[in-house]
């Protein structure tokens, strides 16, 4: 299946770690966590084996999306320092292997969801995979600086899928969680894009800082942070969550907006180390993990 290709003077044989790297495990960890939170706060109860199988299906679907993304973007990844050592551009895997692995993993994840949960969750999982691969990766990302804005929907599906896997239906709370991730995605990724702008420019990817410039990107980060903060807090006054989540969302969102303001209201000078941007990017990841953890804690330990 996998081929041993040369990279420079070294032979780099592919192994399971290269296939695992195709799944983008860091991204998958956030997907799995938000999906699990969606399942845990859903009403009713799910057999532990079926719950585990449903979350596994979502993880495999996310991994399949990552593999197909890397298959399609192998040439682009080779032009970027941040991604040049991935299995395909580094020559440890061939593209055909990545394609077969991604398609097989996607099909298995959908069938597993169908048998472990219900057809509604299987359909949502299918839509999320197809959206990420065809709408975001193939269509939006190489064509428009709004790629992250629209493409953010792909990463927002997991809590909704988790809820539907448990209930077979949709409700306001998982929609609110979907909206939260959707609005969180632009400031999260644009903070990254600001300090790896040269990578995206070299690869010809029209990310916001490359096309619209840093100043416009910084304003957009701050704008989205404010709107996201409102969406994050909204479930509390609307009665979908309790005070534990509400106060957590209020405090963390205020910090998010503060860090976004530090990014949005500054201009980077020559040889700028982009510390505020890196700080916002790191905090944004912790923000989502803690906030979703608070949703679960609020459900099981209401104040």
């Amino acid at each position: 299946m996998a081929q041993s290709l040369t990279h420079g003077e070294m032979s780099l044989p592919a192994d399971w770690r290269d296939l695992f790297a195709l799944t983008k495990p860091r991204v998958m960890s956030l997907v799995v966590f938000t999906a699990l939170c969606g399942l845990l706060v859903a009403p009713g109860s799910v057999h532990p084996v079926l719950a585990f199988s449903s979350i596994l299906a979502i993880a495999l679907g996310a991994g399949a999306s990552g593999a197909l993304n890397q298959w399609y973007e192998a040439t682009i990844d080779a032009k970027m320092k941040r991604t040049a050592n991935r299995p395909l551009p580094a020559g440890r895997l061939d593209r055909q292997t990545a394609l077969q692995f991604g398609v097989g993993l996607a099909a298995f994840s959908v069938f597993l969801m169908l048998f472990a949960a219900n057809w509604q969750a299987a359909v949502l999982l299918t839509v999320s995979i197809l959206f990420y691969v065809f709408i975001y990766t193939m269509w939006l990302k190489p064509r428009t600086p709004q790629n992250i804005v629209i493409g953010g929907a792909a990463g927002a599906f997991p809590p909704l899928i988790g809820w539907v896997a448990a209930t077979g239906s949709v409700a306001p709370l998982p929609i609110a969680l979907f909206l939260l991730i959707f609005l969180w995605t632009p400031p999260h990724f644009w903070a990254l894009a600001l300090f790896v702008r040269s990578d995206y420019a070299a690869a010809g990817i029209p990310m916001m800082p490359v096309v619209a410039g840093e100043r416009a990107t910084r304003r957009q980060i701050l704008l989205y942070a404010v709107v996201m903060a409102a969406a994050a807090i909204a479930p509390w006054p609307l009665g979908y969550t309790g005070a534990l989540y509400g106060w957590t969302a209020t405090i963390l969102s205020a910090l998010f907006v503060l860090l976004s303001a530090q990014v949005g209201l500054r201009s980077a000078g020559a040889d700028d180390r982009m510390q505020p941007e890196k700080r916002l990017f790191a905090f944004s990841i912790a923000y989502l993990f803690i906030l979703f953890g608070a949703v679960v804690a609020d459900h099981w330990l209401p104040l």
Side-chain angles (χ1 to χ4, degrees):
M1 182 176 69
Q3 298 177 349
S4 296
L5 303 176
T6 58
H7 181 63
E9 298 181 353
M10 295 179 62
S11 178
L12 299 174
D15 59 22
W16 68 268
R17 285 167 291 192
D18 296 310
L19 293 175
F20 183 61
L22 283 181
T23 66
K24 296 186 176 181
R26 290 184 180 179
V27 175
M28 190 197 300
S29 65
L30 188 57
V31 167
V32 169
F33 184 72
T34 56
L36 178 61
C37 291
L39 187 146
L40 289 176
V41 300
S45 60
V46 182
H47 191 283
V49 174
L50 296 181
F52 173 80
S53 299
S54 298
I55 297 302
L56 177 61
I58 295 171
L60 295 177
S65 300
L68 292 171
N69 171 270
Q70 291 190 59
W71 159 74
Y72 188 78
E73 294 186 345
T75 303
I76 294 173
D77 285 345
K79 299 176 182 178
M80 300 173 63
K81 294 178 181 178
R82 188 171 62 89
T83 56
N85 197 42
R86 285 177 173 175
L88 293 177
R92 298 191 299 273
L93 280 178
D94 62 276
R95 293 190 70 191
Q96 187 65 23
T97 297
L99 176 61
Q100 293 171 350
F101 177 69
V103 171
L105 205 59
F108 180 73
S109 70
V110 172
F111 281 111
L112 178 60
M113 180 64 82
L114 181 63
F115 288 112
N118 49 62
W119 68 266
Q120 295 96 327
V123 168
L124 272 180
L125 181 59
T126 302
V127 169
S128 69
I129 295 171
L130 295 178
F131 190 98
Y132 185 81
V133 174
F134 290 101
I135 303 299
Y136 171 67
T137 300
M138 296 185 179
W139 182 37
L140 293 171
K141 190 172 180 179
R143 289 176 173 82
T144 170
Q146 296 298 315
N147 47 26
I148 286 301
V149 176
I150 305 170
F157 274 108
L160 188 59
I161 300 173
W163 179 287
V164 173
T167 66
S169 61
V170 178
L173 179 56
I175 293 176
L177 298 178
F178 174 96
L179 182 61
L180 169 59
I181 299 178
F182 180 77
L183 294 171
W184 165 88
T185 302
H188 166 72
F189 273 101
W190 285 337
L192 169 68
L194 282 171
F195 60 83
V196 295
R197 177 185 177 183
S198 59
D199 260 7
Y200 285 118
I205 300 297
M207 293 297 286
M208 185 69 73
V210 176
V211 175
E214 284 196 17
R215 186 176 179 183
T217 303
R218 293 176 186 280
R219 288 199 302 264
Q220 290 289 315
I221 286 174
L222 181 54
L223 174 63
Y224 269 95
V226 171
V227 177
M228 180 214 69
I233 298 169
W236 183 22
L238 290 174
Y240 304 141
T241 61
L244 177 59
Y245 169 82
W247 282 113
T248 304
T250 300
I251 295 169
L252 290 181
S253 297
L255 288 172
F256 197 112
V257 172
L258 176 62
L259 292 174
S260 298
Q262 292 176 352
V263 171
L265 301 177
R266 74 185 291 264
S267 298
D271 300 320
D272 197 298
R273 298 182 64 182
M274 295 286 190
Q275 290 302 321
E277 292 76 15
K278 293 176 182 178
R279 190 160 50 243
L280 174 60
F281 178 74
F283 178 79
S284 67
I285 298 172
Y287 171 86
L288 212 58
F289 271 108
I290 297 172
L291 211 55
F292 271 79
V295 173
V296 176
D298 185 84
H299 177 77
W300 292 100
L301 302 169
L303 296 180

